[in-house]
Amino acid sequence: MSTSNLKILFTGNTSWSMYNFRRGVMKDLQERGYDIIVAAPPDEYSDRLVAMGFRFIPLKQLKSKSYNPLNDYFLYRELYGILKEHRPSIVFNYTIKPNIYGVYAASRLKIPAFAVVTGLGYVFTHNNLISLAAQQLYKRILNKANEIWFLNADDQRTFIETKIAPEEKTFLLPGEGIDTDQFNVTADTVQAGDHPTRFILVARMIFDKGVKEFVDASRILKNKGHKFESSLLGFMDVINPKAISRQQMNEWTEEGVISYLGVTDNVSKFIEQTDCVVLPSYYSEGIPRTLMEGASMKKVVITTNNVGCKEVVDDGITGFLCNKKDAADLAEKMERVINLAPHERKVMGEKGREKMINSFDERIIKAIYLNKIKAVQPS
């Protein structure tokens, strides 16, 4: 069967994530002749997916913050209806609700389906009836998937040890890939020693990303008299219960310890103007894109010795690992970067980019998808 006869459906919990994390893979498959369909809740990125030539189906019943079983039933019926109408040859699902209900709907229609676990998230970071119920749903349904993919070995091990996923069906995907051609530097941006070292944290403004620890660490260094600048870049997720309030952000900026840069679609422009990318996350990450972007642009990276984060950094070689929820330790690692000679900073950045090219380049991810698709597509 030629690729022009094959439809591939990608389902996710936001159009934003489908565009920012998977458009490279989807575009590559489209250029190879596959018909790409994207199903996700509509947002400001939905039109961008359409502009790339993908067929877009709005998921009206996917409410990621809802724990109402009735809402989830409606989501399952919606996904089942989409699959029955469009009859894709293969389905790739991302995040918990598409993984559960997308895989189940596909199994009912005998359509090959892959579940991509992009991080453990709420299911394993809380110990309550909702998280336990979600684990049971995962355990019941994931074995119906052709494969269950993980972005880091710790998450894969957790699913196997808790018997949620059969080991023989698991697969380790090295992140979701980084376009190392796009995230590159055109000039030597290492700052001379007499310029303030510039740190940036790029993430949703929620506490779990280590935003407060970054602010506290910056305050420690400021009180020690160091010359540096600390900036935050990312949207204010006011819906999330762990969100940084605008009042809190205003207090930090008025104090002068950090600056808030708002939101951008051109992250590389801001990374290029900085010296070190910081993400002291204690969130259950898959593989944080911001760390890959920073390393790919030859920036020293500081992150926590945390699941998903530690995979991106070779401690002391491409950046530094700090303890979770430890502003003093983070400040010590930031101080190390401040004290690096320009040539030392340059060497660390170059080694970071080399690691991204060898282990996380988007071309590696595209090849994996293509090989997996060929393995299950009808002959």
Side-chain angles (χ1 to χ4, degrees):
M1 181 180 289
S2 69
T3 59
S4 61
N5 296 318
L6 286 176
K7 300 176 187 175
I8 304 178
L9 174 65
F10 291 80
T11 70
N13 65 346
T14 63
S15 295
W16 176 88
S17 64
M18 302 306 286
Y19 178 83
N20 282 288
F21 299 159
R22 290 134 211 158
R23 72 176 184 268
V25 165
M26 294 189 295
K27 193 64 180 176
D28 180 69
L29 293 171
Q30 182 189 61
E31 290 172 351
R32 295 176 185 275
Y34 293 95
D35 183 7
I36 304 300
I37 307 171
V38 182
D43 58 37
E44 62 269 29
Y45 285 82
S46 305
D47 289 342
R48 301 190 190 194
L49 293 167
V50 174
M52 294 185 71
F54 308 140
R55 285 199 278 164
F56 179 75
I57 301 173
L59 284 181
K60 300 175 182 177
Q61 302 298 332
L62 204 169
K63 300 174 175 61
S64 58
K65 304 299 181 186
S66 170
Y67 305 111
N68 186 332
L70 190 59
N71 287 340
D72 288 358
Y73 172 74
F74 289 142
L75 172 61
Y76 160 71
R77 295 300 307 173
E78 183 178 31
L79 288 168
Y80 184 89
I82 290 169
L83 288 166
K84 188 173 182 179
E85 177 183 353
H86 293 275
R87 287 285 172 177
S89 304
I90 302 164
V91 184
F92 288 96
N93 304 286
Y94 304 85
T95 66
I96 178 169
K97 290 192 177 185
N99 279 343
I100 290 173
Y101 303 112
V103 166
Y104 185 52
S107 71
R108 293 284 307 277
L109 295 166
K110 301 188 181 337
I111 297 171
F114 293 78
V116 185
V117 178
T118 57
L120 298 189
Y122 187 92
V123 179
F124 287 90
T125 56
H126 293 74
N127 185 21
N128 55 33
L129 288 176
I130 294 171
S131 62
L132 291 174
Q135 289 182 39
Q136 290 304 310
L137 277 172
Y138 253 153
K139 185 177 293 188
R140 178 184 171 192
I141 292 171
L142 282 190
N143 64 2
K144 300 179 186 297
N146 284 62
E147 283 189 342
I148 307 111
W149 293 4
F150 299 88
L151 305 186
N152 63 71
D154 290 270
D155 290 356
Q156 182 184 30
R157 190 179 309 112
T158 296
F159 270 61
I160 292 170
E161 290 178 351
T162 55
K163 301 188 185 305
I164 289 177
E167 183 172 5
E168 66 275 11
K169 284 196 172 186
T170 66
F171 175 77
L172 185 60
L173 185 73
E176 295 202 77
I178 179 72
D179 185 341
T180 57
D181 293 332
Q182 176 189 352
F183 288 93
N184 196 1
V185 287
T186 56
D188 187 355
T189 56
V190 174
Q191 294 295 295
D194 59 346
H195 286 74
T197 304
R198 296 173 297 185
F199 298 93
I200 191 168
L201 188 159
V202 184
R204 288 179 294 149
M205 293 296 108
I206 60 175
F207 283 100
D208 288 0
K209 294 290 184 177
V211 176
K212 184 178 185 298
E213 284 73 15
F214 180 58
V215 174
D216 290 343
S218 298
R219 186 182 295 111
I220 291 169
L221 295 177
K222 181 180 178 183
N223 292 337
K224 293 179 73 171
H226 283 292
K227 292 173 60 178
F228 70 100
E229 299 171 0
S230 289
S231 301
L232 296 169
L233 178 66
F235 64 86
M236 305 282 284
D237 186 4
V238 294
I239 298 175
N240 194 303
K242 298 293 183 69
I244 307 293
S245 69
R246 294 189 182 276
Q247 178 183 346
Q248 178 65 82
M249 186 66 72
N250 290 338
E251 289 177 5
W252 286 336
T253 56
E254 288 171 6
E255 181 186 351
V257 67
I258 55 100
S259 60
Y260 175 57
L261 304 176
V263 183
T264 184
D265 282 332
N266 189 4
V267 174
S268 60
K269 179 183 74 173
F270 289 89
I271 294 177
E272 187 160 16
Q273 295 170 357
T274 196
D275 301 296
C276 178
V277 174
V278 182
L279 186 67
S281 174
Y282 46 93
Y283 184 78
S284 184
E285 304 279 358
I287 295 285
R289 176 166 292 262
T290 181
L291 295 178
M292 294 191 292
E293 291 169 348
S296 183
M297 295 188 71
K298 301 182 181 180
K299 305 302 178 181
V300 179
V301 174
I302 299 175
T303 191
T304 42
N305 189 18
N306 185 30
V307 173
C309 298
K310 62 187 177 182
E311 281 79 1
V312 184
V313 179
D314 292 334
D315 193 23
I317 298 173
T318 68
F320 299 104
L321 295 176
C322 64
N323 300 326
K324 292 188 289 185
K325 301 184 180 182
D326 190 339
D329 189 48
L330 173 59
E332 192 271 329
K333 300 306 189 299
M334 291 170 67
E335 190 171 35
R336 287 196 200 181
V337 175
I338 292 171
N339 292 332
L340 286 173
H343 75 275
E344 293 175 314
R345 198 178 295 170
K346 182 177 181 180
V347 168
M348 293 188 87
E350 288 174 345
K351 289 183 177 178
R353 177 166 173 78
E354 182 181 347
K355 181 179 178 69
M356 294 305 101
I357 291 172
N358 292 336
S359 301
F360 296 100
D361 192 284
E362 195 173 60
R363 284 177 277 260
I364 298 170
I365 309 303
K366 290 175 181 177
I368 290 171
Y369 271 84
L370 187 60
N371 289 334
K372 293 291 185 177
I373 289 166
K374 288 180 176 178
V376 300
Q377 75 180 47
S379 56

